[in-house]
Amino acid sequence: MKSSPWWKEATIYQIYPRSFFDSNGDGEGDLPGITSKLEYVKALGVDAIWLSPFYTSPNKDGGYDVADPRDVDPRFGNLADAKKMIDVAHSLGLRVLVDVVPNHFSDQHVWFQAALKAGRGSPERSRFHFYDAKPDGTPPNNWISLFGGPSWTQVEDGQFYLHLFDSSQPDLNWENPEIFIDYEKTLRFWLDFGVDGFRIDVAHGLVKEDIFKNHPDPQGLSDALRLDVIMDVEKRFALLETVPFFDRQGVHEIYRKWRKLFDSYGDREVMAVAEAWVHPPVNATRYVRPDELHQVFNFDLLDAPFDAAHLHDVISRTIELLANVDALPTWALSNHDSPRVASRLGELQSRALTIFVFGLPGSCYVYAGQELGLPDGVMPDGARQDPIYFRTKGSQKGRDGARVPLPWSDESAPFGFTSGTPWLPMQDSWKDLTVEKQNVDPKSSLNVYRNALELRAEHLVTTGEMTWLESPTHGSKNPLLLAYRRGNVSVYMNLGESLVEVEITGKVLIASAGVPDGRDGKITIPPVSTLWVHH
Ligand code: NOJ
């Protein structure tokens, strides 16, 4: 069944355009490439696609450095290609979400170039965070960029500008009303162009406070904000309470106004999802109050261990917190910024967890390639492109592993992705993971995803709340078993390496792996697998 509005319990497929499919042999994916594969996407059973940025960009940060938010970068095609992609998606019944990046522009945006020329104190500089150096010549504060290194870069006349990310991504000053007006133009441009909504990059970052104050532990704060830095949980949480540039109350004023704009499109059912890594988790619910955005990403599963008690805790807490604002959760196991779930947890584990999560209330995000069980790509340092790798002088490898192009066909790299040389190296060891191979194997990861999404739409979407049946914190004797019931379906996940027998009657709808065995009111669940049982 379809949920209403469409996004309430949607499955949304994230496409990283540069890595999806290359139509012109230049080694990079593009919009016509995406269009040519939309039938594949539709056949997965998803409701919508979300595209990472394809706008004019020098591509210092994979297109999240936008030089013109209302045009297409030639590496991806042109506006006519974007129109065609949207039209074909719509004709297949797929909605289209695009990324917007309101926290910063590229340093190649005309506004930033004008700001450089116009000099200190000018209206052009007031669109960004330009300030004089401190009397000792150092930057206005000691903040560290999320990509490593200082958050400030000095320009010729001695002023510094703020960039929470790469130096090529100057932060916009949202206190200047011109920024709101320009962004409204961008939102309207894409809505009038035909898109169905937006993923809002760094949605929690637009408003800054205490710009002239040093942070007592800038390196600690920067580490606390990075999931790949191991840190004591208490310490991390304490530091996260002190971020002066994220999750300030002022951001909500902006989203209240955006919501009015979205609602003015009436029955188009425009939606927006916030990328807001905030702490404590309850703060995330503010972004989805009834007069703000429609969804907020829940990132807790991106680094969750394959551990029943932990997963139970994250899932319960997420559902409860969002219920307080009458919103449903979002579930994501992978994206272009984090290690692929198959690498992080193992292929079987990741498949079991995905099928477990597909049954839950809310929307599910699937990162292209996740359906193939694709692991992270492995590459020599010389091939890396992520600014994190360069800004940390190689001490952090960055996110390229999760961005390697998809394997479509053939027995060796580039697996039909391109007729040229792929922009990141592809692994020959992926030969059994191609779409072509998995298409014909009924037990492949791809086919399990397809079946699960079809069954999700048929039996689970719109069936309301879930109740736990088994969890270590709910008195279950098996610490390796999690189960819940929703509607007429019970979902069991066996996290252990041995068979588990449960007393239950019903028809097995799907098993993420192995062959479950059912008789005499009992079903055995294969190791590391999830089962859906219909009553
Ligand atoms: C979050 C995006 O997902 C990431 O890829 C990007 O580097 C930063 N925001 C900065 O825009």
Side-chain angles (χ1 to χ4, degrees):
M1 197 193 276
K2 290 262 174 228
S3 61
S4 175
W6 71 270
W7 45 266
K8 267 235 133 138
E9 291 206 64
T11 312
I12 298 168
Y13 186 72
Q14 181 194 353
I15 293 178
Y16 195 69
R18 212 176 168 197
S19 299
F20 198 62
F21 187 70
D22 175 18
S23 72
N24 62 3
D26 66 359
E28 299 187 57
D30 44 46
L31 293 175
I34 294 172
T35 307
S36 72
K37 294 290 183 191
L38 284 175
E39 290 198 8
Y40 165 81
V41 177
K42 175 67 186 172
L44 277 174
V46 299
D47 303 292
I49 53 175
W50 147 36
L51 276 82
S52 286
F54 49 81
Y55 317 115
T56 316
S57 165
N59 200 37
K60 293 271 174 61
D61 180 25
Y64 284 92
D65 47 323
V66 180
D68 182 350
R70 300 187 283 272
D71 204 353
V72 171
D73 194 277
R75 76 176 64 229
F76 295 119
N78 54 34
L79 281 169
D81 295 324
K83 185 79 192 131
K84 177 138 191 236
M85 186 265 301
I86 294 167
D87 289 347
V88 173
H90 285 166
S91 71
L92 291 168
L94 291 167
R95 310 263 180 165
V96 180
L97 307 182
V98 295
D99 232 297
V100 282
V101 192
N103 182 66
H104 44 264
F105 274 158
S106 155
D107 61 358
Q108 298 308 305
H109 189 284
V110 283
W111 276 8
F112 192 78
Q113 290 300 312
L116 289 179
K117 285 202 195 87
R120 55 163 46 77
S122 59
E124 287 84 353
R125 285 218 173 163
S126 75
R127 292 167 175 154
F128 300 90
H129 293 280
F130 273 96
Y131 303 104
D132 285 333
K134 289 208 282 217
D136 64 359
T138 57
N141 70 31
N142 63 357
W143 297 352
I144 291 182
S145 146
L146 272 83
F147 287 175
S151 286
W152 297 93
T153 291
Q154 196 161 29
V155 300
E156 252 174 35
D157 61 17
Q159 280 208 308
F160 283 91
Y161 67 88
L162 175 72
H163 51 88
L164 292 183
F165 297 91
D166 189 49
S167 55
S168 66
Q169 294 164 295
D171 280 49
L172 286 159
N173 173 15
W174 276 83
E175 282 182 23
N176 181 335
E178 269 189 273
I179 310 298
F180 184 88
I181 293 166
D182 187 69
Y183 241 88
E184 203 174 54
K185 227 165 139 184
T186 297
L187 297 173
R188 282 192 193 285
F189 176 87
W190 288 109
L191 288 172
D192 296 342
F193 200 79
V195 308
D196 302 285
F198 303 98
R199 178 264 191 189
I200 303 171
D201 189 66
V202 202
H204 54 318
L206 278 43
V207 175
K208 279 85 181 172
E209 283 173 9
D210 296 334
I211 286 205
F212 298 108
K213 260 202 215 156
N214 276 343
H215 188 274
D217 182 6
Q219 187 57 53
L221 182 60
S222 164
D223 290 347
L225 287 163
R226 301 193 48 92
L227 283 184
D228 51 350
V229 177
I230 316 267
M231 189 184 278
D232 170 70
V233 178
E234 298 294 314
K235 182 173 176 207
R236 168 168 267 142
F237 286 177
L239 280 161
L240 290 178
E241 307 268 344
T242 68
V243 196
F245 43 78
F246 282 156
D247 202 26
R248 304 295 92 194
Q249 289 308 300
V251 296
H252 298 290
E253 285 311 308
I254 298 168
Y255 299 129
R256 287 201 180 97
K257 291 188 196 147
W258 284 19
R259 178 62 181 253
K260 290 207 177 99
L261 189 159
F262 299 150
D263 286 350
S264 74
Y265 283 79
D267 56 14
R268 289 263 302 270
E269 293 187 339
V270 169
M271 76 82 91
V273 52
E275 188 218 20
W277 300 77
V278 295
H279 186 81
V282 67
N283 287 11
T285 65
R286 296 186 187 147
Y287 292 77
V288 286
R289 287 178 289 203
D291 59 345
E292 295 196 37
L293 301 172
H294 306 79
Q295 292 183 351
V296 58
F297 280 118
N298 157 27
F299 294 115
D300 293 347
L301 293 179
L302 286 182
D303 66 342
F306 195 61
D307 171 85
H310 186 103
L311 293 168
H312 169 260
D313 185 48
V314 165
I315 291 169
S316 309
R317 190 188 59 208
T318 306
I319 293 175
E320 276 162 32
L321 282 178
L322 286 156
N324 292 334
V325 284
D326 207 16
L328 289 176
T330 59
W331 308 105
L333 301 183
S334 280
N335 65 26
H336 64 294
D337 290 330
S338 50
R340 283 188 175 273
V341 62
S343 287
R344 202 170 61 72
L345 299 181
E347 207 276 306
L348 274 187
Q349 287 79 352
S350 80
R351 215 195 285 182
L353 186 56
T354 302
I355 306 306
F356 191 76
V357 157
F358 277 171
L360 292 170
S363 286
C364 295
Y365 284 77
V366 174
Y367 178 44
Q370 189 187 327
E371 75 278 18
L372 304 175
L374 207 63
D376 280 333
V378 179
M379 67 196 73
D381 285 348
R384 295 192 189 279
Q385 309 225 1
D386 189 343
I388 291 183
Y389 175 74
F390 298 106
R391 288 186 63 88
T392 63
K393 304 195 172 44
S395 72
Q396 284 163 27
K397 297 291 181 200
R399 304 159 292 178
D400 294 308
R403 299 174 178 180
V404 172
L406 296 201
W408 291 95
S409 57
D410 307 338
E411 292 295 318
S412 59
F415 294 118
F417 162 73
T418 178
S419 56
T421 306
W423 69 280
L424 285 174
M426 298 173 72
Q427 272 52 143
D428 283 333
S429 59
W430 287 1
K431 69 180 178 23
D432 294 326
L433 296 177
T434 60
V435 172
E436 186 179 50
K437 285 258 174 75
Q438 297 204 34
N439 259 337
V440 293
D441 172 4
K443 295 221 148 287
S444 67
S445 174
L446 175 58
N447 279 320
V448 169
Y449 269 67
R450 282 180 182 146
N451 292 341
L453 289 176
E454 195 180 335
L455 292 164
R456 170 179 147 85
E458 193 179 334
H459 296 287
L460 286 152
V461 167
T462 74
T463 55
E465 292 178 7
M466 59 87 93
T467 37
W468 288 105
L469 299 174
E470 301 271 355
S471 87
T473 29
H474 265 65
S476 162
K477 285 189 205 72
N478 187 342
L480 298 171
L481 185 65
L482 272 185
Y484 61 87
R485 171 139 184 181
R486 194 171 173 228
N488 291 326
V489 178
S490 294
V491 176
Y492 281 83
M493 176 160 63
N494 173 7
L495 290 87
E497 302 285 341
S498 321
L499 288 175
V500 168
E501 193 175 65
V502 288
E503 279 184 31
I504 188 169
T505 46
K507 178 177 166 240
V508 174
L509 290 176
I510 189 167
S512 69
V515 184
D517 185 21
R519 69 186 89 146
D520 307 329
K522 292 188 176 148
I523 296 181
T524 49
I525 313 175
V528 195
S529 74
T530 292
L531 285 192
W532 290 5
V533 181
H534 190 264
H535 304 284

